[in-house]
Amino acid sequence: MRASSICGSDIRAIYREHLGVGAEAYQGVVAGHEPCGEVVEAGPGARRLSPGDRVVVYHISGCGQCEECRRGYPVGCSSDHRAAHGWQRDGGHADYLLAEESSCLLLPEPLTFVDGALVSCGFGTAFEGLLRGRVSGRDTLLVTGLGPVGLAAAMLGRHLGAARVIGMDPVASRVELAQSLDLLDVAVADPADLAEALGSATGGRGCEVTIDCSGHPDARLAALRHTRHWGRCVLVGEGGTMTMDVSPLLIHPQVSVHGSWVSSVQHMAELLELLVRWGEHPGRIVTHRYPLSEAGTAYEVADRGQAGKVCIVWED
């Protein structure tokens, strides 16, 4: 291992609650489902990787045979063979990790190990959501929730061509971080100010694409409410509920709502290539780095919800 970042799902479903059912059924394994490192040894069946290769690890291993796996989405595998690093099989918060060759994607230069760790879940998740929303230069993009996935969505949305990127989060430090990284054209820290800010930015028409990365019911509703007629609203943030008045918010404006989970293996490989082409480094959103010996502190910082991305590093 060279870098292993902490995901909001780790905080929500392991650090706080230790969920024992479903895809997040934590089985007492080594945590960490955002791993990146260097191949030390390849097994006898390996045909593509060799010692010394730098790799990002797609964090779910499936059966390889079902429709979801064959589509490149082992995250959706429902067989007994499905196991996620950090949940049902050992993850990246250790010196070494055992992974299938099919789960390992080559990390291209000049991306760092920290960049790769962030792609392995958070940035991959944001990228998949933006692809689902078909973001292009014709669109104004609204991001609700500026935690690490929201920051990733804002950053990647710019590169995908969004004409304007608007971000909202009630945590002032997150808004300030997004502004300091030049990720937003319009920043909103008070949800009560969102309607006025969007009215000024879009002429009252709303945003062609909105993406909620918070999982908070109010933020989800705000994203849907401010989606332009015939626009696309993407829900990425995990957990929670959503209650809405269906006709005025969904049916009459003919809005498309997309649920998006984790990137496919192919889209993750595409993202790695695009980051090099764009000259972008996901590691820009990392605010705290700790050695493995200080993992407890790393989780405490991530749990406060005030930081950008928190990462455990062996070397950068």
Side-chain angles (χ1 to χ4, degrees):
M1 293 306 306
R2 293 291 181 255
S4 184
S5 44
I6 296 174
C7 178
S9 295
D10 295 324
I11 298 298
R12 177 178 52 82
I14 299 177
Y15 189 72
R16 293 180 185 168
E17 298 187 34
H18 281 76
L19 294 183
V21 295
E24 295 174 337
Y26 180 60
Q27 301 297 330
V29 297
V30 174
H33 69 263
E34 298 186 342
C36 187
E38 181 180 345
V39 175
V40 175
E41 184 176 347
R47 293 177 290 179
R48 182 171 53 90
L49 298 178
S50 302
D53 285 341
R54 305 161 73 243
V55 294
V56 177
V57 180
Y58 187 90
H59 60 280
I60 302 105
S61 175
C63 68
Q65 302 299 319
C66 69
E67 180 179 359
E68 292 291 316
C69 284
R70 292 169 71 87
R71 284 175 178 265
Y73 290 89
V75 64
C77 179
S78 58
S79 81
D80 293 338
H81 296 284
R82 182 196 188 278
H85 288 287
W87 305 90
Q88 297 91 37
R89 60 182 299 173
D90 287 337
H93 296 350
D95 291 328
Y96 296 93
L97 174 76
L98 182 65
E100 273 81 4
E101 186 180 38
S102 60
S103 298
C104 296
L105 301 174
L106 289 172
L107 176 67
E109 297 285 358
L111 298 182
T112 69
F113 289 114
V114 169
D115 291 331
L118 270 59
V119 167
S120 66
C121 179
F123 269 73
T125 296
F127 185 59
E128 186 74 24
L130 295 170
L131 293 180
R132 201 70 53 86
R134 305 192 309 280
V135 173
S136 75
R138 299 179 298 174
D139 303 323
T140 293
L141 171 67
L142 169 64
V143 181
T144 55
L146 294 173
V149 174
L151 294 173
M155 182 186 292
L156 298 178
R158 275 205 190 282
H159 286 295
L160 289 171
R164 284 171 297 188
V165 179
I166 301 166
M168 187 272 289
D169 196 297
V171 179
S173 60
R174 286 180 164 177
V175 175
E176 292 168 2
L177 177 60
Q179 289 178 299
S180 71
L181 296 173
D182 194 28
L183 302 182
L184 304 175
D185 297 295
V186 178
V188 180
D190 186 343
D193 296 335
L194 182 60
E196 181 178 353
L198 282 171
S200 299
T202 69
R205 293 183 293 272
C207 300
E208 286 80 7
V209 182
T210 62
I211 182 168
D212 175 65
C213 301
S214 72
H216 193 283
D218 293 341
R220 285 175 172 156
L221 195 59
L224 181 59
R225 182 177 289 120
H226 294 294
T227 304
R228 185 172 179 163
H229 283 217
W230 294 95
R232 290 89 68 197
C233 177
V234 183
L235 304 180
V236 169
E238 288 267 19
T241 61
M242 182 178 182
T243 302
M244 61 181 167
D245 194 347
V246 173
S247 290
L249 289 181
L250 189 60
I251 295 176
H252 295 175
Q254 306 197 75
V255 168
S256 298
V257 179
H258 301 270
S260 184
W261 198 359
V262 174
S263 170
S264 69
V265 179
Q266 290 90 334
H267 285 159
M268 191 172 289
E270 179 185 352
L271 177 56
L272 290 168
E273 179 182 345
L274 287 172
L275 289 169
V276 174
R277 186 183 308 172
W278 293 332
E280 186 58 271
H281 288 277
R284 290 204 293 135
I285 73 166
V286 173
T287 55
H288 295 75
R289 304 178 186 220
Y290 295 95
L292 181 61
S293 60
E294 297 180 28
T297 300
Y299 271 85
E300 290 173 4
V301 171
D303 185 42
R304 293 183 196 127
Q306 301 289 321
K309 194 69 170 178
V310 179
C311 193
I312 295 171
V313 296
W314 286 255
E315 65 178 67
D316 204 350

